[in-house]
Amino acid sequence: MVKHLLEVNNLTTSFKIDGEYYPAVDDVNMRIKENEVLALVGESGSGKSATAFSLMGLHSHARVAGEVLFEGQNLLKNNERKMNKIRGGHMAMIFQDPMTALNPLMKIKHQILETLTIHNTKKKSEREAYTIELLDRVGIPRPDRVANSYPHELSGGMRQRVVIAIAIANRPKMLIADEPTTALDVTIQAQILDLIRELQDDLGSGVLLITHDLGVVAEMADRVAVMYAG
């Protein structure tokens, strides 16, 4: 019997409109094994990102029902304290828009150091050097200089690499990539996808790749799930 890293059963996410709850994600089921890429495809507004946010427990004003089993543990039964230990540590997410995912008032190195500190990764004396190592690993030239930059000083492709560096900082077992190549030019898109594949091979992580680009699906996915109207 194949052990699934992530198993989603009857996931339904509803938002309140005029006093009534309406499902944006309606009875979704999926399975992801270790070292596997599942592509979740569908048109804009079909519920792909809403599904990802439900898996990570990031909806603050929604009713989420069903089961999200990560290594056999139902995440929907966890309180916020338990989820904070899992988010960014065992499960991580590459957000769609790197400009809004990064804090414009913090230098890049402090944003990476923050997740290392929260999850107690590495000794305190080793964290700053590890931050530079992470930036180098995601293909950022002159990582020591970039570490001391603010997000607005970087290009879109560079910001996306920083978001990936933050996501992989704690070597997660499950990686959710929400349209990681949106708004990037074709050359940078290819580099980002190559990077995600390399990281998956290195860490043995399961990957949920959300996209509406079938070219990306053909290149990256082991299996495909199609979402329509939730």
Side-chain angles (χ1 to χ4, degrees):
M1 185 177 177
V2 176
K3 182 184 177 184
H4 293 101
L5 182 66
L6 183 73
E7 186 175 337
V8 179
N9 299 314
N10 311 114
L11 179 68
T12 300
T13 302
S14 305
F15 294 93
K16 197 171 187 179
I17 302 172
D18 295 331
E20 296 286 332
Y21 279 95
Y22 296 91
V25 177
D26 191 6
D27 199 25
V28 166
N29 298 273
M30 68 176 77
R31 312 280 184 271
I32 303 175
K33 295 180 288 186
E34 290 183 3
N35 204 26
E36 179 184 44
V37 178
L38 174 66
L40 181 61
V41 303
E43 63 190 9
S44 296
S46 61
K48 303 186 300 297
S49 294
T51 298
F53 274 62
S54 299
L55 300 182
M56 294 291 289
L58 292 173
H59 288 303
S60 55
H61 301 288
R63 179 186 288 169
V64 183
E67 282 187 328
V68 178
L69 300 175
F70 176 66
E71 296 187 313
Q73 177 187 2
N74 188 1
L75 300 184
L76 297 186
K77 291 186 177 180
N78 284 350
N79 58 30
E80 191 66 13
R81 186 176 179 182
K82 286 183 179 179
M83 280 306 298
N84 282 337
K85 290 183 178 180
I86 292 171
R87 277 194 299 253
H90 301 289
M91 288 180 69
M93 187 165 171
I94 301 170
F95 292 93
Q96 186 171 350
D97 183 356
M99 198 59 213
T100 56
L102 296 171
N103 187 330
L105 302 178
M106 289 176 67
K107 288 183 177 180
I108 298 302
K109 69 177 181 181
H110 294 142
Q111 302 196 46
I112 300 175
L113 285 169
E114 184 176 50
T115 190
L116 298 177
T117 303
I118 289 170
H119 294 283
N120 202 26
T121 302
K122 302 284 185 182
K123 294 178 182 177
K124 188 174 181 180
S125 59
E126 298 173 345
R127 286 175 190 159
E128 192 145 342
Y130 182 54
T131 295
I132 304 299
E133 182 185 322
L134 283 167
L135 293 174
D136 182 58
R137 188 176 180 191
V138 297
I140 290 179
R142 293 183 291 180
D144 50 339
R145 181 175 176 179
V146 170
N148 285 291
S149 301
Y150 290 93
H152 72 270
E153 298 178 274
L154 307 178
S155 67
M158 294 275 271
R159 288 196 295 265
Q160 189 64 288
R161 289 169 189 266
V162 171
V163 170
I164 294 173
I166 293 171
I168 67 166
N170 299 300
R171 300 178 67 83
K173 295 179 180 179
M174 182 72 214
L175 185 64
I176 299 173
D178 187 3
E179 301 198 29
T181 59
T182 297
L184 302 179
D185 65 57
V186 176
T187 305
I188 301 299
Q189 278 188 27
Q191 292 174 0
I192 296 295
L193 293 175
D194 286 343
L195 175 61
I196 291 173
R197 188 187 290 107
E198 286 173 19
L199 296 170
Q200 177 213 355
D201 291 340
D202 181 37
L203 301 177
S205 303
V207 179
L208 176 62
L209 177 63
I210 297 172
T211 183
H212 53 248
D213 186 333
L214 294 182
V216 170
V217 172
E219 185 179 343
M220 294 287 292
D222 297 306
R223 291 186 300 117
V224 181
V226 181
M227 180 166 270
Y228 178 76

